[in-house]
């Protein structure tokens, strides 16, 4: 059998049909294909084995496949490694330039300079940097942010908002059909009390056009709600009126509903200001809050009852979990309908999942919500599976995250112990970023400085939230997050501006890479670093962890710094200069795209 046929068969079998015209397979991906091909040729009986390829300190890549294969083939690892190495050199065209066997049977692979330069040219030629669309056509609902109406957004709402926004951007870029859902807390008995209080106090100001600079509708409403609570506890006559108002709200009384709508829309105005400032993609039409599901709740309860999943218990309607038990060994429950006939958070989330499956026809549903709600979502998903809403082909995931802590490792609070308002946090970060940027920037006008400080400060906060592994608590140290050094948003923005400045001098037009030129080691490291971008994005799309993208961009920025120290660009000889400009262009475009997918601005000067 001719080798060509074997290898083309292997390729068609494993070829990703998601590869589009412009997709450039990553270098590690190409190495995997080549090693797998060689294994298939040398050990046809073990065809399809994992080539176990990693980046290596000793060469560009290392394959550790021989050890496991030798065991299965009952021979020595060094023998397998030797044979695979020969097959590799004979069969990969221009990809691999050198293979050595080290240790018991590790294959150290060095790629050809020619291939690396060609990779740069191929990525540069593509508007998407050669990145494929592995999420193509997958309808993905992302539930994120979800602030509560008439309450101020505080730092606790930040992780959901920015992690959700990043996932929306990454999944969308990878071809998913993303549906954004802002599950506003916009319904509940507390609004009856608030509405009654507002009616009793017509002098209270809370509309955004009545407020002075620095206050917002939600902070005004937040205070009014506290006052309403106090009145409720102190004044029985008010408590009576407030209870009647709750009934009126639930019964859909016209005036009460009009008042409630006013509160919701004024609150949304305040949220929109924050989203706008944060550069978050949420729009008013993405809001399907708790009230949206309200009219569906009786039907959800009926459906679960008919299916025998929800049962009466102590006058309430509940779902007993079949999977989770409490400390006393009894099953934990979801509350479908309270004793008094009311519905709550649990019922609403049963409705969200049914709606998203049935009406939105989602293939994947992500709930980007605080880890403390892990049990809630576990129970919701279990009930949805039992109800037949969630089937095997649909992925529902609770994308949880830890708490936001201050530099002292305690919950992030103001000095007086209050939760930190989001707008105040942003102002503070922008203020400090301005000092950081001003230190370095010499040729900026005051206007430019103000604009860039805003981009740097907001970027710093978002990056701090995104760069910590989701499952860990995130420590907020404003001083550190606006630093120009270390793994910060400002450092990445600054790295991007440095490349832009080189390109302003060198010319940012299309260049023709000469793949026959030898590679400097720092050029090589940079190419290998930048090439990982697409695979990293695909990984983020799979595991939903934005910090991996942050880590990759940080490595890229460092590799660029090393490259720029070792390899002059502007003063290099003609052909070398062109190739280096190409590398600068690829690095700048990758950083820019990466920052954009994190939802962080990439200014051209700082
Ligand atoms: N409003 C909720 C909160 O503040 C978050 C909503 C999350 N989304 C959901 N479908 N439960 O905790």
């Amino acid at each position: 059998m001719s080798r060509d046929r074997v290898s083309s068969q292997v390729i068609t079998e494993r070829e990703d049909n998601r590869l589009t015209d412009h997709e450039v397979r990553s270098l590690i991906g190409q190495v995997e294909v080549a090693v797998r091909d060689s294994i298939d040729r040398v050990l046809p009986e073990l065809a399809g084995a994992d080539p176990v390829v990693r980046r290596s300190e000793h060469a560009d890549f290392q394959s550790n496949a021989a050890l496991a294969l030798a065991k299965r083939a009952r021979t020595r690892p060094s023998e397998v490694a030797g044979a695979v190495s020969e097959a590799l050199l004979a069969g990969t065209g221009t990809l691999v330039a050198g293979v050595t066997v080290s240790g018991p049977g590790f294959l150290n692979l060095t790629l050809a300079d020619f291939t690396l330069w060609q990779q740069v040219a191929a990525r540069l030629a593509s508007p998407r940097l050669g990145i494929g669309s592995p999420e193509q056509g997958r309808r993905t609902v992302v539930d994120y942010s979800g602030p509560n109406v008439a309450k101020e957004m505080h730092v606790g709402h930040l992780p959901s908002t920015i992690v959700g926004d990043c996932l929306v951007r990454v999944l969308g870029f990878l071809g998913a059909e993303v549906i954004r859902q802002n599950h506003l807390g916009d319904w509940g008995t507390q609004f009856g009390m608030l509405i009654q209080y507002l009616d009793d106090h017509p002098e209270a100001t809370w509309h955004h056009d009545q407020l002075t600079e620095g206050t917002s509708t939600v902070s005004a409403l937040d205070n009014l709600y506290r006052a309403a609570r106090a009145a409720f506890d102190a004044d029985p006559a008010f408590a009576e009126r407030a209870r009647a108002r709750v009934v009126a709200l639930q019964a859909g009384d016209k005036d009460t509903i009009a008042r409630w709508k006013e509160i919701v829309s004024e609150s949304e105005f305040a949220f929109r200001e924050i989203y706008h400032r944060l550069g978050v993609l949420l729009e008013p039409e993405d809001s399907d809050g708790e009230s949206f599901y309200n009219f569906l709740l009786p039907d959800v309860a009926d459906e679960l009852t008919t299916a025998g999943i929800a049962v009466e218990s102590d006058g309430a309607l509940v779902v007993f979990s079949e999977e989770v038990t409490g400390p006393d060994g009894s099953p934990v429950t979801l509350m479908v309908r309270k004793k008094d006939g009311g519905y709550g958070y649990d019922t609403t989330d049963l409705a969200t999942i049914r709606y998203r499956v049935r009406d939105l026809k989602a293939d994947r549903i992500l709930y980007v919500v605080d880890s403390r709600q892990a049990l809630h979502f576990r129970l919701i998903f279990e009930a949805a599976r039992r109800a037949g809403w969630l089937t095997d082909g649909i992925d529902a995931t609770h994308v949880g995250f830890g708490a936001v802590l201050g530099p002292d490792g305690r919950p992030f609070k103001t000095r007086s112990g209050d939760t930190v308002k989001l707008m105040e946090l942003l102002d503070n970060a922008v203020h400090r970023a301005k000092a950081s940027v001003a230190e370095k920037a010499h040729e900026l006008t005051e206007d430019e400085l103000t604009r860039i400080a805003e981009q740097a400060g907001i970027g710093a906060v978002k990056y701090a939230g995104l760069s910590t592994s989701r499952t860990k608590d995130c420590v907020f140290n404003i001083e550190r997050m606006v630093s120009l050094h270390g793994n910060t948003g400002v450092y990445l923005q600054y790295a991007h501006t440095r490349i832009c400045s080189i390109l302003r001098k060198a010319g940012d037009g299309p260049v023709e890479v000469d793949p026959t030129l030898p590679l400097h080691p720092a050029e090589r490291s940079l190419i290998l670093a930048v090439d990982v971008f697409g695979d990293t994005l695909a990984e983020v799309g799979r595991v939903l962890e934005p910090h991996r993208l942050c880590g990759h961009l940080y490595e890229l920025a460092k590799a660029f710094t090393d490259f720029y120290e070792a390899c002059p660009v502007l003063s290099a000889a003609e052909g070398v200069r062109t190739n280096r400009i190409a590398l600068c262009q690829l690095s700048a475009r990758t950083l820019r795209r990466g920052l954009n997918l994190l939802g962080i601005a990439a200014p051209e000067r700082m």
Side-chain angles (χ1 to χ4, degrees):
M1 198 193 300
S2 88
R3 212 156 67 190
D4 276 9
R5 243 190 84 207
V6 175
S7 69
S8 70
Q9 254 177 12
V10 170
I11 300 234
T12 16
E13 264 171 29
R14 300 215 187 83
E15 188 67 302
D16 243 316
N17 51 17
R18 297 172 311 221
L19 278 168
T20 59
D21 287 351
H22 295 293
E23 182 165 352
V24 177
R25 197 193 283 275
S26 66
L27 292 165
I28 191 166
Q30 294 176 40
V31 170
E32 278 165 353
V33 170
V35 175
R36 204 175 321 184
D37 251 15
S38 302
I39 295 172
D40 291 358
R41 252 175 278 141
V42 176
L43 294 166
E45 68 279 17
L46 297 182
D50 182 354
V52 205
V53 177
R54 307 272 178 270
R55 276 283 275 132
S56 160
E57 281 169 26
H58 312 292
D60 295 337
F61 296 99
Q62 184 171 75
S63 162
N64 298 350
L67 283 72
L69 290 175
K71 211 173 258 165
R72 289 168 63 192
R74 294 173 197 288
T75 125
R76 289 203 318 277
S78 59
E79 209 146 294
V80 175
V84 172
S85 139
E86 260 169 49
L88 259 174
L89 286 173
T92 62
T94 56
L95 180 64
V96 177
V99 189
T100 60
V101 180
S102 71
F106 303 123
L107 287 174
N108 297 313
L109 305 153
T110 302
L111 302 196
D113 294 1
F114 189 87
T115 300
L116 292 173
W117 281 126
Q118 273 188 325
Q119 187 79 352
V120 172
R123 292 213 179 274
L124 271 181
S126 152
R128 295 173 54 84
L129 299 165
I131 293 160
S133 324
E135 300 287 331
Q136 185 73 50
R138 200 170 181 200
R139 189 172 293 185
T140 306
V141 170
V142 186
D143 176 325
Y144 66 117
S145 196
N148 298 318
V149 159
K151 289 223 181 96
E152 184 110 48
M153 270 178 96
H154 56 81
V155 281
H157 293 109
L158 193 64
S160 172
T161 306
I162 61 181
V163 169
D165 185 61
C166 174
L167 295 178
V168 164
R169 290 167 184 266
V170 170
L171 293 170
F173 181 68
L174 297 178
E177 198 186 315
V178 177
I179 301 177
R180 301 182 294 252
Q181 289 278 282
N182 191 356
H183 192 70
L184 292 179
D186 62 355
W187 193 249
T189 52
Q190 71 274 24
F191 293 109
M193 187 191 295
L194 178 60
I195 289 167
Q196 189 56 44
Y197 191 84
L198 293 179
D199 274 7
D200 288 2
H201 295 85
E203 75 288 354
T205 46
W206 55 281
H207 288 78
H208 69 272
D209 49 7
Q210 301 170 327
L211 295 169
T212 50
E213 182 88 42
T215 38
S216 73
T217 289
V218 279
S219 69
L221 286 174
D222 212 334
N223 290 332
L224 289 166
Y225 178 68
R226 275 175 231 260
R229 266 235 84 96
F232 188 88
D233 294 336
D235 174 1
F238 175 73
E240 183 113 344
R241 287 202 297 283
R243 277 197 207 98
R245 218 49 198 273
V246 173
V247 175
L249 179 68
Q250 281 169 339
D253 169 67
K254 205 167 125 267
D255 290 345
T256 309
I257 291 288
R259 205 69 166 135
W260 165 76
K261 280 197 175 147
E262 205 182 320
I263 294 172
V264 173
S265 88
E266 282 285 326
S267 299
E268 285 206 90
F269 182 89
F271 298 149
R272 220 173 307 151
E273 275 189 341
I274 292 209
Y275 295 149
H276 185 75
R277 188 162 188 205
L278 281 174
V280 161
L281 297 173
L282 281 169
E283 295 292 340
E285 58 269 26
D286 301 323
S287 292
D288 281 328
E290 293 177 9
S291 65
F292 170 83
Y293 295 96
N294 194 38
F295 74 101
L296 296 168
L297 302 183
D299 189 54
V300 167
D302 285 350
E303 191 178 334
L304 290 173
T305 310
T306 309
I309 298 164
V311 292
E312 293 282 339
S313 169
D314 268 342
L317 189 66
V318 302
V319 175
F320 288 108
S321 172
E322 292 178 342
E323 295 170 10
V324 194
T325 49
D328 63 349
S330 60
V332 297
T333 54
L334 274 176
M335 179 58 71
V336 179
R337 193 172 55 223
K338 286 179 241 167
K339 242 183 184 156
D340 66 5
Y343 299 103
Y345 192 64
D346 287 357
T347 330
T348 308
D349 263 328
L350 288 165
T352 62
I353 198 156
R354 192 182 75 164
Y355 173 74
R356 288 163 188 179
V357 173
R358 259 192 211 163
D359 300 87
L360 298 181
K361 311 224 179 309
D363 302 305
R364 194 184 198 190
I365 309 169
L366 309 178
Y367 291 85
V368 188
V369 186
D370 196 315
S371 290
R372 283 174 297 186
Q373 296 193 28
L375 177 60
H376 168 76
F377 286 109
R378 187 158 172 208
L379 298 174
I380 295 288
F381 298 164
E382 184 199 329
R385 268 193 304 274
R386 285 168 64 190
W389 303 333
L390 210 51
T391 49
D392 282 349
I394 306 171
D395 166 40
T397 304
H398 170 214
V399 183
F401 48 81
V404 179
L405 304 178
D408 57 359
R410 316 262 294 271
F412 195 76
K413 292 268 164 72
T414 62
R415 244 176 239 151
S416 57
D418 291 331
T419 49
V420 177
K421 294 175 183 166
L422 205 41
M423 269 302 185
E424 281 171 18
L425 171 78
L426 298 181
D427 286 339
N428 191 357
V430 168
H431 180 74
R432 301 215 199 173
K434 194 166 182 175
S436 250
V437 174
E439 221 176 274
K440 280 257 182 186
H442 305 298
E443 23 178 295
L444 295 180
T445 64
E446 185 57 30
D447 275 0
E448 278 176 314
L449 184 60
T450 304
R451 185 174 49 81
I452 289 167
E454 178 78 15
Q455 294 176 320
I458 301 293
V461 171
K462 293 179 87 174
Y463 193 85
L466 291 167
S467 57
T468 332
S469 159
R470 254 202 303 113
T471 48
K472 297 207 186 105
D473 292 338
C474 165
V475 177
F476 260 33
N477 181 335
I478 302 207
E479 204 66 63
R480 190 170 320 144
M481 65 173 89
V482 299
S483 165
L484 289 170
H485 309 285
N487 189 10
T488 68
V490 185
Y491 172 74
L492 292 186
Q493 288 174 320
Y494 188 65
H496 172 255
T497 63
R498 274 175 56 209
I499 314 178
C500 289
S501 129
I502 299 165
L503 289 173
R504 270 197 297 279
K505 292 177 196 134
D508 200 1
V511 288
E512 187 118 5
V513 174
D514 179 355
T516 63
L517 291 180
L519 267 173
H520 185 284
E523 293 172 330
R524 172 178 228 78
S525 303
L526 178 56
I527 296 173
L528 290 168
V530 81
D531 194 64
V532 178
F533 184 52
D535 286 352
T536 306
L537 289 181
E539 174 90 354
V540 172
R542 272 195 305 275
V543 301
L544 311 168
E545 290 179 351
H547 77 275
R548 291 171 192 254
L549 175 54
C550 297
H552 162 68
L553 295 178
Y554 182 51
E555 290 307 317
L556 168 57
K558 282 196 295 187
F560 184 85
T561 305
D562 294 344
F563 155 78
Y564 194 56
E565 259 161 36
C567 304
V569 176
L570 299 170
S571 59
E574 194 39 43
V576 177
R577 183 173 191 265
T578 307
N579 279 18
R580 289 183 179 167
I581 291 174
L583 259 179
C584 290
Q585 291 181 346
L586 181 59
S587 305
R589 280 179 54 193
T590 306
L591 268 176
R592 190 148 62 229
R593 171 70 74 180
L595 284 167
N596 173 276
L597 293 175
L598 292 173
I600 294 176
E604 298 206 346
R605 296 167 200 269
M606 275 178 106

